[in-house]
Amino acid sequence: MADITAPAYRIIPIIPALIPDAMAGKGPYVANDKINEAIGFPGQLVEDWHDRAIAKMGELLSKYRSLKVFMDACVHCGACSDKCHYFIGTQDPKNMPVARQDLMRSVYRRYFTLPGKWFPKLVGARDLTREVLDEWHNYFYQCSECRRCSVFCPYGIDTAEVTMAAREILDSVGYGQKYSNEIIGKVHKIGNNLGLPGPALIDTLEGLEEDVKEATGIDVRFPIDVKGAEVLLITPSADFFAEPHIDSLIGYAKVFHATGTSWTLSSMSSEAGNFGMFIGNYDQLRKIAMRIRQAALELGVKRIVVGECGHAWRVAYSFWNTLTGVGDGADANDKFAQMLQKQLDHRYKQPMHICEFTWDMIEDERLSFDKSLNDKHIITFHDSCNVARGSRMGNLPGGQFEIPRNIIKAVANNFVEMSPNTTHERTFCCGGGGGLLTDDLLELRVKGALPRMEVLQQAVDEHGVNFMATICAICKAQFTKIMPIYGFDRRMVGGVHQLVSNAIILGDKK
Amino acid sequence: MANIDVGGKNYETDEEGYLVNLTDWNADIANYIAKTESIEMSDQHWEVINFLREYFEEYQIAPAVRVLTKAIGKKLGAEKGNSEYLYGLFPYGPGKQACKIAGLPKPTGCV
Amino acid sequence: MNLMIAILFYLATLFFVVGLFHRIRVYASTPAPLKIPTTPAPTTTGGVVLRMTREVVFFESLFKANLWTWAMGWMFHAGMALVLMRHLRYFTEPVWGWVVLIQPFGIYAGIAMLIGLCGLWTRRLFVERIRYISTPSDHLMLLLLIGIVSSGLLMQFFVHTDVIAVKNYFQGLLNFNIQPLPVDITLALHLLSVVMLLVIFPISKLLHAPGVFFSPTRNQTDNPRENRHLSTWAAKLESEK
């Protein structure tokens, strides 16, 4: 793996020429029997995979309007063709969003449309062969489901939806991905993606209390399984484990401490991430989300706050109410949702992002900061794809862009933006999202980070940027790993609440 | 699935070279895996590996990087209690590379 | 000839209408179980109507994506809208006032359509990425449209056809009373191509026209925290447990 090098920056951001099959055979590891069976999928590729796959596709077409419309509506206009970071970085034409969709659309046309049945060659339809299935496994695991293509599509076609459907079909015939499926198994068994058992979690949190006490002299608590706490914090388990994630966890704890908020973590539900979304499986998505509902009910909390995790916030913001009833506005005779919604305090948004929480507190003047403590940083902000294009914060559309930036500006003096074509709704994925943050896809991850690294370099050259803040565990892990390959210091990346943690004034509220 | 041959015996590993059966592990295997990772095992490396195994024994998971650095700092002096020191020993990242040599499962998730 | 074209028109129209309605019914009845608007998205229904209007009338997303494709695509579609309205004069008697008014603009619109189509085809032929994703049907459909537009313009400017007779013919069709059609190769080409287009429409990518209205990433309101969105099949999962 040491031989993976960064692609060269483009002098001007021209659209790269095609290199067919540049990424052929560079897909992820296949999940083994043990991993697949643990989460209810066939252990290995089943014998009648062809018929089962087509039947599954038919089922999904009847269950998801998105898939049905997206299969029909594409006119091959090419608007999306140069928008994917993986295409830009790898130049493999099958990493163009439209071409990736066509891997499935060609099969859809063959089995589900008249022209495809009668004149397959004419309309680019093809049989589902073993080669096609392998191609699916290769290229649908080279999509991070970041939705950048969907911003530019005149029909709003979202490749993420197609990728999710393809992965769901692959899983249904026993041809899943090792990384995602192994992690999902761990969530069901242990409660988080890491497989961090309760005692280890408690030990880690105690260690953090000591560390913060040592650094600040103040008893900041990291409570866990506290019944009757007001806030249940659901955060990615990487926040307990990895660098720089853990610094943001300390930031959340300090914010809760400084505002006198009673809060708790849950050892049973110690994961915000939900890889069920990545593999497009509604049952897994729901089952994983149900752990949060269960924890909220058992602990009797009034509010649910979500830590810095991109896809988790998409799931929490957009799907939790649907999946588990964490939200508002359920019908009076919707017993399932009412059971939880009656318990929650609807003066606050449910669920709430930690950035919304902190920003509300800043606006209420319940937090104070010594901004100079962040003066060593010249900060820029990387919008995480799932937050930017699959969720919102605050009351207005676009709050997901403004609120994290507002927090940074409230806790630090030096903030600059990167090129506008790569921020807000046009942001690029870090290169590791969507279940691709695994070593077997490192080459793809390095290449996919190219467009972000280019503009970061620009910001470094023009403004001396030395810190890129982000609010996603995947972004943090991905950048920490690949930035040294581009010649940056891995410590340039960190969370927004890491900056909050640096500058917050504890105990001495004004 | 793959296999490695160490000292005339055959051991099962996963695609990435992590030991499948944790009980298989011994010092020879550690040295063997370290070599495939281009790491020359020194006493400093062994300090880390031994701590990882002790911690795993107790908690069934590798320690967080922060827990590891703190423990190393306590044991070997504050100047070594930082992640730079660990990255120096295990350039591919102390979390994964050291776990692999220690015969522990790879940490998964967003790490 | 009169009768053959009449029968083809009847069948094609029937296929077009039935096929299109069937598709729309399928789109409308297929559930959208999760909230997936591409954000930032409007939080109210009024906002969604505005977003859809910008999308359908101005091709907002395509504008963000690629100015050339947008310019060519928009010229073609806007031109087509005017040309179609202009053609209403063949189906109404007396001709509606506003249809009379737009007659001269319709001619320019025809030219704009042709320029747009040629621009799109040039892009498809010469831009490597677009050529890569094009199927034979993508090229043929553009060719068919270019055929329709050129034959129409040809009749407008060079080989005039007897439009009074054409109008009589279509008035007759509307009343199931087949009238003679001028014997004119350009006209025949024009009409047969339109028949072809009507047939292709409900079974091809031309479904993007109704499809865009059903695209969940565009037509959903961004209010998942405020309202519980639950599809029928997803609701069943709750009663099972």
Side-chain angles (χ1 to χ4, degrees), chain A residues 193-206:
Chain A
N193 290 356
L194 266 169
L196 187 72
L201 177 53
I202 290 164
D203 177 67
T204 305
L205 295 175
E206 281 169 358

Side-chain angles (χ1 to χ4, degrees), chain A residues 151-368:
Chain A
V151 171
F152 299 99
C153 175
Y155 319 111
I157 297 175
D158 179 6
T159 310
E161 292 289 310
V162 180
T163 294
M164 289 171 192
R167 293 182 184 180
E168 163 80 329
I169 293 169
L170 288 169
D171 272 325
S172 77
V173 297
Y175 196 11
Q177 181 215 25
K178 180 187 176 194
Y179 174 73
S180 295
N181 290 4
E182 184 177 19
I183 283 175
I184 289 171
K186 285 191 186 174
V187 178
H188 295 323
K189 205 170 143 203
I190 304 170
N192 56 59
N193 290 356
L194 266 169
L196 187 72
L201 177 53
I202 290 164
D203 177 67
T204 305
L205 295 175
E206 281 169 358
L208 287 179
E209 290 181 352
E210 283 171 26
D211 293 356
V212 177
K213 171 91 175 176
E214 204 171 293
T216 65
I218 290 174
D219 283 311
V220 174
R221 293 276 165 240
F222 290 76
I224 186 158
D225 295 332
V226 177
K227 281 200 176 167
E230 187 189 346
V231 169
L232 169 63
L233 177 73
I234 300 290
T235 205
S237 57
D239 281 1
F240 307 124
F241 195 83
E243 311 281 340
H245 308 62
I246 211 160
D247 292 310
S248 284
L249 175 65
I250 295 171
Y252 320 148
K254 287 182 179 173
V255 168
F256 290 133
H257 176 91
T259 55
T261 309
S262 85
W263 69 289
T264 186
L265 293 157
S266 158
S267 57
M268 184 272 292
S269 179
S270 44
E271 181 60 63
N274 191 328
F275 280 33
M277 179 175 87
F278 292 160
I279 63 165
N281 184 298
Y282 194 94
D283 293 328
Q284 298 291 345
L285 177 68
R286 180 164 182 272
K287 206 171 152 197
I288 294 168
M290 285 296 276
R291 298 184 79 93
I292 288 119
R293 174 187 163 94
Q294 195 188 333
L297 287 169
E298 282 173 11
L299 296 171
V301 295
K302 298 279 173 217
R303 307 174 63 178
I304 301 176
V305 173
V306 180
E308 296 181 357
C309 180
H311 82 281
W313 181 238
R314 182 179 180 199
V315 174
Y317 173 84
S318 293
F319 305 158
W320 270 4
N321 201 358
T322 297
L323 297 167
T324 68
V326 174
D328 200 351
D331 204 68
N333 44 30
D334 177 352
K335 280 193 193 127
F336 174 84
Q338 281 297 348
M339 186 175 159
L340 179 62
Q341 295 195 355
K342 273 186 190 146
Q343 175 188 316
L344 299 174
D345 184 344
H346 294 288
R347 290 174 301 167
Y348 305 101
K349 294 195 184 311
Q350 304 286 359
M352 185 178 246
H353 195 279
I354 185 71
C355 285
E356 291 179 305
F357 184 92
T358 300
W359 179 241
D360 278 358
M361 292 298 173
I362 293 173
E363 284 201 304
D364 281 357
E365 301 184 344
R366 289 176 62 187
L367 290 170
S368 42

Side-chain angles (χ1 to χ4, degrees), chain A residues 363-381:
Chain A
E363 284 201 304
D364 281 357
E365 301 184 344
R366 289 176 62 187
L367 290 170
S368 42
F369 300 98
D370 178 356
K371 290 166 86 162
S372 70
L373 291 170
N374 274 318
D375 276 354
K376 60 177 184 274
H377 295 310
I378 299 171
I379 301 159
T380 191
F381 182 68

Side-chain angles (χ1 to χ4, degrees), chain A residues 15 17-18 61-66 68-70 72-79 81-83 93-94 96 98 108 115 121-124 147 150-156 158 161 282 286 313-314 317-319 321-322 325 327-329 334 336-337 349-351 356 388-392 394 397-398 400-401 425-426, chain C residues 15 23 26-43 51 55 59 61-66 69 77 123-124 128-130 132-138 140 203-209 211-212 214-219 222-231 233-235 237-238 241:
Chain A
I15 300 163
L18 306 183
L61 285 165
S62 72
K63 283 169 106 172
Y64 292 91
R65 184 187 295 163
S66 53
K68 181 73 192 161
V69 171
F70 296 167
D72 278 342
C74 178
V75 299
H76 289 168
C77 74
S81 60
D82 55 345
K83 303 298 186 285
K94 284 176 187 151
M96 294 190 286
V98 48
Y108 164 76
K121 285 252 160 57
L122 186 70
V123 296
R147 315 187 93 202
S150 88
V151 171
F152 299 99
C153 175
Y155 319 111
D158 179 6
E161 292 289 310
Y282 194 94
R286 180 164 182 272
W313 181 238
R314 182 179 180 199
Y317 173 84
S318 293
F319 305 158
N321 201 358
T322 297
D328 200 351
D334 177 352
F336 174 84
K349 294 195 184 311
Q350 304 286 359
E356 291 179 305
R389 292 184 284 262
S391 78
R392 176 162 59 100
Q400 69 270 35
F401 309 127
E425 68 170 356
R426 295 174 181 229
Chain C
F15 186 79
R23 272 295 144 147
V26 169
Y27 293 154
S29 63
T30 308
L34 293 166
K35 280 277 193 177
I36 57 166
T38 307
T39 58
T43 54
R51 183 187 204 178
E55 203 60 85
F59 304 177
S61 298
L62 188 57
F63 182 78
K64 290 181 199 168
N66 188 304
T69 314
H77 283 91
R123 186 172 149 79
R124 203 171 277 293
E128 192 191 16
R129 284 174 295 126
I130 317 299
Y132 178 90
I133 57 173
S134 298
T135 61
S137 57
D138 293 329
L140 290 175
I203 53 170
S204 70
K205 69 172 187 177
L206 299 176
L207 287 167
H208 68 277
V212 63
F214 291 94
S215 180
T217 58
R218 292 291 180 272
N219 74 9
D222 177 24
N223 59 357
R225 285 194 288 197
E226 290 76 17
N227 291 306
R228 186 156 197 247
H229 170 91
L230 198 62
S231 72
W233 67 258
L237 300 173
E238 283 166 19
K241 264 228 194 140

